[in-house]
Amino acid sequence: VSTQSTGASGCKAMLAEELGMRSRLNDDPTPELAEIEPAKQRYPCCVVFTPLPMLTWMLPLVGHVGICSSDGVIHDFGGPFYVAEDNMTFGWPTRYWQLDPDQCDPEPGGVASWDTAVLASNCEYKKRVHHICLDNCHSHVATALNKMKYQGRSDWNMFDVGWYLVFNGKFTDVAGMIRTWAPATALMCLLYWFFF
C-alpha cells in the first residue's frame, strides 16, 4: 500500500485515529517491539537505507532513507507530495539503524510518541516538493525524530540522520552489503584499470 497526498483533513483523521488507538492501549505505552525481519521487510522503530542507482555507485554512503513505524512498516518521502508506505521507493533496505522508542518525548512516550511522530511527519511531507539537496528523504526522517523529541532533541537534520545511519547502521544481510558496495567497488576497479 502506498499513500499519496490525502489533504489536511485526511491527515488529521489519520492522526486522530492513531491517537485514539494509542489511548486505548495506554495501559502499556511501551509494548515489546517485534523482531526485525529482513525477509518480510519489517524493521520496527528503525531508520532504513537503500542505494540510489548511479549516485550510490559513486558515493556508497549516500542513498535513500525511510523511517519505520513500531510495527516495522517503512515510510519514505519518495518525491513531490508522495510518501510511500510499505513499498520503499527505490527498493528494499540494505541497511538499518534501530532506535529505542523509550528515548522519545515522555508524553505520551514510547511507541505512542514514535508512531504519532512518524504519521505527523508523513502528513507534513505529503504537502511538500522534494528537493534532492535541501528537503529530501533524510529531512523527512529528521522531522519525525524532531516531532518525537528523540533523545530529548529537536534539532535533528538530514546530516545527523546520514551520519548516525552510517556509523550505527547494520546491513540487512550479505546481499544488502553487496547491493550497497559492489557497484562502487566495480566502478573504482574499472577506473583504476582504465587510468593506471
Side-chain angles (χ1 to χ4, degrees), residues 150-162:
Y150 190 73
Q151 293 181 335
R153 292 179 53 187
S154 58
D155 62 347
W156 289 91
N157 61 51
M158 61 183 174
F159 300 107
D160 291 334
V161 170

Side-chain angles (χ1 to χ4, degrees), residues 108-128:
V111 296
S113 288
W114 182 277
D115 287 339
T116 302
V118 170
L119 288 176
S121 181
N122 290 351
C123 286
E124 187 173 323
Y125 273 79
K126 287 176 186 175
K127 301 177 209 161
R128 291 196 184 184

Side-chain angles (χ1 to χ4, degrees), residues 5-96:
S5 181
T6 57
S9 62
C11 282
K12 286 179 184 175
M14 192 168 55
L15 281 170
E17 181 181 335
E18 177 69 17
L19 289 171
M21 185 178 70
R22 292 294 168 195
S23 68
R24 289 191 297 277
L25 298 174
N26 207 21
D27 294 336
D28 188 8
T30 55
E32 195 70 30
L33 281 182
E35 293 292 317
I36 291 173
E37 296 182 82
K40 294 181 178 178
Q41 306 306 331
R42 290 294 179 257
Y43 301 88
C45 297
C46 288
V47 174
V48 292
F49 169 95
T50 194
L52 280 170
M54 298 202 302
L55 183 60
T56 307
W57 300 352
M58 294 179 280
L59 303 165
L61 301 179
V62 177
H64 182 67
V65 300
I67 189 163
C68 305
S69 51
S70 64
D71 58 0
V73 173
I74 301 167
H75 304 259
D76 65 292
F77 181 44
F81 315 109
Y82 177 74
V83 175
E85 184 177 316
D86 204 22
N87 187 16
M88 202 165 182
T89 305
F90 293 97
W92 294 119
T94 59
R95 288 179 68 96
Y96 65 92

Side-chain angles (χ1 to χ4, degrees), residues 114-184:
W114 182 277
D115 287 339
T116 302
V118 170
L119 288 176
S121 181
N122 290 351
C123 286
E124 187 173 323
Y125 273 79
K126 287 176 186 175
K127 301 177 209 161
R128 291 196 184 184
V129 174
H130 190 282
H131 298 283
I132 191 74
C133 295
L134 301 173
D135 197 12
N136 53 35
C137 55
H138 289 68
S139 305
H140 169 247
V141 171
T143 297
L145 296 174
N146 286 331
K147 287 181 181 298
M148 66 182 76
K149 293 187 173 47
Y150 190 73
Q151 293 181 335
R153 292 179 53 187
S154 58
D155 62 347
W156 289 91
N157 61 51
M158 61 183 174
F159 300 107
D160 291 334
V161 170
W163 180 265
Y164 278 83
L165 189 55
V166 165
F167 290 102
N168 296 315
K170 298 176 183 175
F171 286 103
T172 55
D173 53 18
V174 174
M177 184 170 61
I178 292 169
R179 265 186 60 210
T180 302
W181 286 98

